[in-house]
Amino acid sequence: MSAEIIKDIENKKTELESLLKNAKDLKEVSSLKIEYLKKYVKSLYSELKNASVEEKKSLGKIINDFKNFAEEKIKEAEAKYKQEKSAAKYDVTIFKDSIRLGSMHPLTKLYKKIEKVFVGMGFSVVQGPEIETDKYNFEKLNLPPHHPARDMQDTFYISAPNVLLRSHTSSVQIRTMEKLKPPVQIISPGTVYRVDDIDPQHTPMFYQIEGLVVAEKISFANLKAVLIKFLKEVFGDEVGVRFRPSYYPYTEPSAAVDMSCTKCGGKGCKTCRNTGWITVLGSGMVHPNVLEGVGYDSKKYTGFAFGLGLNRLALAYYNLDEIRKLYENDISLWRQI
Amino acid sequence: MFKFSLNWLRDYFEEKIKYDEIMNKLKLQGFEFGGKKEIDGDIITEIEVKANRPDMLYHMGIAREIKAFDGEKIPEITHEKCTVNSEDFPVKISVNKEVCKRYCALKINGVDLKKATPEYMTKRLNALGINSVNAAVDIGNYVMLDMGQPIHAYDFDKIAGKKLFIDKSEKDSKVTTFIGEEAEVKKGDIVIFDDESIKCVAGIIGTQGAAVTENTKDIILEAAVFDEIPVRLTSRRLKISTPSSFRFERGVNVSSTRDVLLKCAEMITKICGGKIETNIFDFYPEKKEEKSICLSVKKANDLIGEEIDKDLMIKLLEKYDFKCTAQDSDTIKVKIPSYRLDVKLEVDLIEEVARIYGYDNIKPELPTIKTSYTKNEVWDNMDIIREVFTGLGFNETINYSFIPNNTMNVFGIENGDRLYSDLVLQNPIAGAYSLMRPMMTHSLLSSLAYNYSVNNNNLAFFEIGRVYFKDNSFDTGVKETDTLGFIMSGVRIPKGFGQDKDIKYSYYDLLSYLNVIMNRFGQNFELRQNDYKFCEEGSGYDIILSGKVVGFIGELNKSKLSSIQNVKLIKDQIFYGEFYLDTLTEKVKKIKFESKYPSVNRLYNLLQRKDVPAGEIADVIKSSSEIIRNVAVKDIYFDKTFKENEYAVLYEVKYCSKDSTLTAEQIEDIENSFLKKLNEKWGISFKK
Ligand SMILES: [Zn+2]
């Protein structure tokens, strides 16, 4: 008896397959589903009741297999029809070019990411003038007239020697400290200017973010922790950070901060000039002369400051080749990010 | 930048040092390097010497730094004995101590300058970019690159009256430098002169007047330390920068001047013969005492954020030639080596401790600071604007703050106009980047035009940046205002997908975008017509907020602005607006009206004169009943049957009552009342 049933099951399998293949629509598939999966399987189970104990085991398995087989095949067929049905009405691969968000400038986009990290750590955002006086751009930063370190920053003048385009946003920090009593914890983002002709790797204007923390008992260890946290949050936990001695007239001790090259992961490439490292920040403990210059007691308060140029960082971040492209505003580039 | 030779450095080491090893030691101490070049079995490397470390501008200094890394020292400079008797020196020298910190001179008799400079010396000098002149000059240069002290040689026979004066020049005069170039000395420059003429522009370059030649027999050899600032100023003005002026500007170790001079003289006599006169000249009015600074261990540790114990601190400092004496449990008295001109304060010593201890060994620790976040409203508003404008499909640009110097002229803005500015840079990179922009228009128009030139068409841009105006109420003499500019041109919604015509940006889009952003801040603005020449006639309007002009809108006049690069490529109308962000504050609006009853919309097609603003008509309609919730303009159209000065405007009026479901009669009553008012006031008729 069971041999007959088994044979019948085999036949029904082939039968179902060919019927499904020729089914014209979803309705036909549905009726096959009722016929084979409901009615036929039900009849098989009632046959099973009459079988002997040994037969029950093997036959039960065969019936189950058939049920699974039929379910799968019917599902496939249903899916096929459902898909065809909707494709007939809409092509869901078409998007209107005219409906899109406008693009943010890549510098803004990267800046906002950085700002978020610092604001999250409790920094406030302050602004100040781009056209500055020598006093705020140089003198109050421990850079008296004729200091050789002024050579590092070739300055644009509105009226020499006193009114100029700021060469860094440290000037904003001085203005802020003159207004506020410690503790202060600020970033001063903004456009800065240095005399440079426009070519693929140079522009006479760039975006800078400087930061400043002044309070009691602020240490170099604090500076390290804040900057490591910042770099890891923006560039990922795997990024390596190192601090090298450096020199800025307004900080003492001073440190240059390198990050392992994000392009090659530290193996060495064109971007990192084969060193595996990219210098991203200048930093240091605020020079006591600077603190005293704004009326802070340098015996009571210490602080750290840092600065980073966003444009160079953006090149590495977005894989852009030419720095001047950041000011050409070719919208086809912005749209890719 | 200073270039050093590996072979030269090796003179200071017993064993043959490895290049990579010494580079590594220097890098760990924070020095940075430019290019390197292999020449003839030697390696020449550029080191970036920052302004604080002039002691790294010569080979002995670099060797000293490398050795210190391992706690070793370089030998002291040794030379023959001499006596100082400045009175009896064969040349009467008088020095103004205001311009010169130290002036040493000696005389060598009977040299033979026809003798060639030793090959190893010329090879090294050439490799570092210095040409060979004659043995005396070459050895002077060699000693400078070796020990950091610039040396100058005079032909004794050419010194008129056997007198030399080191002082500020009393008048302007022309000199010929020893390489044969003219230079104009100005009154006040430091010069070295005899009874007849200027022999040397101090610290910068010698003149032909007393230059040593191969026929020179007796030499006056000079080693001096001039004031940094005058040397720097004169060098900048003359545009002459020499290895010697470069060093004087940054500072030369005044303590070793005489030792180096004697060492140099010794080398000259070894090579060119002759004899050093034992009596030498040394003007050294303010002898630099060995300087000591007290270092507090606690203060150092507080600033560094580590617990470095006193003994370790002493050990670290002594490696680098800082001699230490423990004063008490917390204080170390530290003697500063004479060549470390940068170490002046306790904090400079703390940096040395941190540097030698190793920045990498300092454990990071997040600070806990109690500051409150200060709200920056203008800054926050910029974020809102970016969200709104990118949401509306505008793309953000950033342009240079300086625009072409002829912009005012091109735009037809005259002196006295609100937007006029002549705030130009004194040293722009080019005329096209020289006027600090008083408006964003040129920037955004240029960006738009540039995009047309690279085949990006149909665009809307915005930019948030600053505009600049002269204003003496600011300490900088300039008022800077954060400003939003926006521009659009071409097709806004292209034809297709069942729509048979392109919809282009229109003047009404410009107005509506302005309205959207003003609404976002809850601001009620007014527009007042202005005849900006760079706008099409009748399209320029000032934006007024609380009685103040805060910006303007208009359709740009393409023919007037066609000289701007690529503007000719833009075929469609260009719409532009800008306004200042400093007065923009967000006003919170309250929900005033709620109703559970349904609302009803009715359309009214009104034939009206063009000079009656639709906004005023809408106001009249709205004020006619509190049941009217909203009045919106849906269309404007022209028809041949209309009079010349008329058009039809389609208004949609929304009715809703708080108290009941409205009946057709109620609405009709209100309708009749405002239609009557409109007819009485402006003769407006209802068009079916
Ligand atoms: Zn790399």
PDB file of all heavy atoms in Angstrom, chain A residues 261 263-264 268-269 271-272 276, ligand 1:
ATOM      1  N   CYS A 261      47.835  57.939   9.091  1.00  0.00           N
ATOM      2  CA  CYS A 261      47.250  58.301   7.798  1.00  0.00           C
ATOM      3  C   CYS A 261      45.982  57.481   7.547  1.00  0.00           C
ATOM      4  O   CYS A 261      45.992  56.257   7.587  1.00  0.00           O
ATOM      5  CB  CYS A 261      48.263  58.068   6.694  1.00  0.00           C
ATOM      6  SG  CYS A 261      47.641  58.424   5.057  1.00  0.00           S
ATOM      7  N   LYS A 263      44.374  57.333   4.848  1.00  0.00           N
ATOM      8  CA  LYS A 263      44.304  56.842   3.470  1.00  0.00           C
ATOM      9  C   LYS A 263      44.973  55.474   3.360  1.00  0.00           C
ATOM     10  O   LYS A 263      44.469  54.572   2.711  1.00  0.00           O
ATOM     11  CB  LYS A 263      44.977  57.851   2.535  1.00  0.00           C
ATOM     12  CG  LYS A 263      44.297  57.959   1.192  1.00  0.00           C
ATOM     13  CD  LYS A 263      44.825  59.184   0.476  1.00  0.00           C
ATOM     14  CE  LYS A 263      44.174  59.325  -0.882  1.00  0.00           C
ATOM     15  NZ  LYS A 263      44.629  60.528  -1.577  1.00  0.00           N
ATOM     16  N   CYS A 264      46.144  55.330   4.017  1.00  0.00           N
ATOM     17  CA  CYS A 264      46.886  54.081   3.863  1.00  0.00           C
ATOM     18  C   CYS A 264      46.931  53.301   5.175  1.00  0.00           C
ATOM     19  O   CYS A 264      47.533  52.235   5.250  1.00  0.00           O
ATOM     20  CB  CYS A 264      48.307  54.371   3.383  1.00  0.00           C
ATOM     21  SG  CYS A 264      49.256  55.329   4.568  1.00  0.00           S
ATOM     22  N   GLY A 268      52.032  54.111   4.625  1.00  0.00           N
ATOM     23  CA  GLY A 268      52.805  55.067   3.830  1.00  0.00           C
ATOM     24  C   GLY A 268      52.215  55.224   2.443  1.00  0.00           C
ATOM     25  O   GLY A 268      52.022  54.236   1.743  1.00  0.00           O
ATOM     26  N   CYS A 269      51.907  56.481   2.062  1.00  0.00           N
ATOM     27  CA  CYS A 269      51.356  56.752   0.733  1.00  0.00           C
ATOM     28  C   CYS A 269      51.684  58.195   0.366  1.00  0.00           C
ATOM     29  O   CYS A 269      52.396  58.874   1.085  1.00  0.00           O
ATOM     30  CB  CYS A 269      49.841  56.505   0.727  1.00  0.00           C
ATOM     31  SG  CYS A 269      48.910  57.719   1.683  1.00  0.00           S
ATOM     32  N   THR A 271      49.715  60.850   0.238  1.00  0.00           N
ATOM     33  CA  THR A 271      49.103  61.831   1.144  1.00  0.00           C
ATOM     34  C   THR A 271      49.955  62.086   2.393  1.00  0.00           C
ATOM     35  O   THR A 271      50.114  63.212   2.832  1.00  0.00           O
ATOM     36  CB  THR A 271      47.696  61.359   1.582  1.00  0.00           C
ATOM     37  OG1 THR A 271      46.930  61.115   0.404  1.00  0.00           O
ATOM     38  CG2 THR A 271      46.993  62.394   2.430  1.00  0.00           C
ATOM     39  N   CYS A 272      50.510  61.004   2.937  1.00  0.00           N
ATOM     40  CA  CYS A 272      51.297  61.166   4.167  1.00  0.00           C
ATOM     41  C   CYS A 272      52.789  61.251   3.868  1.00  0.00           C
ATOM     42  O   CYS A 272      53.610  61.117   4.766  1.00  0.00           O
ATOM     43  CB  CYS A 272      51.001  60.026   5.135  1.00  0.00           C
ATOM     44  SG  CYS A 272      51.358  58.399   4.465  1.00  0.00           S
ATOM     45  N   GLY A 276      53.348  57.628   6.973  1.00  0.00           N
ATOM     46  CA  GLY A 276      52.297  56.942   7.721  1.00  0.00           C
ATOM     47  C   GLY A 276      51.552  57.870   8.677  1.00  0.00           C
ATOM     48  O   GLY A 276      50.597  57.464   9.311  1.00  0.00           O
TER      49      GLY A 276
HETATM   50 ZN    ZN C   1      49.338  57.458   3.994  1.00  0.00          ZN
END
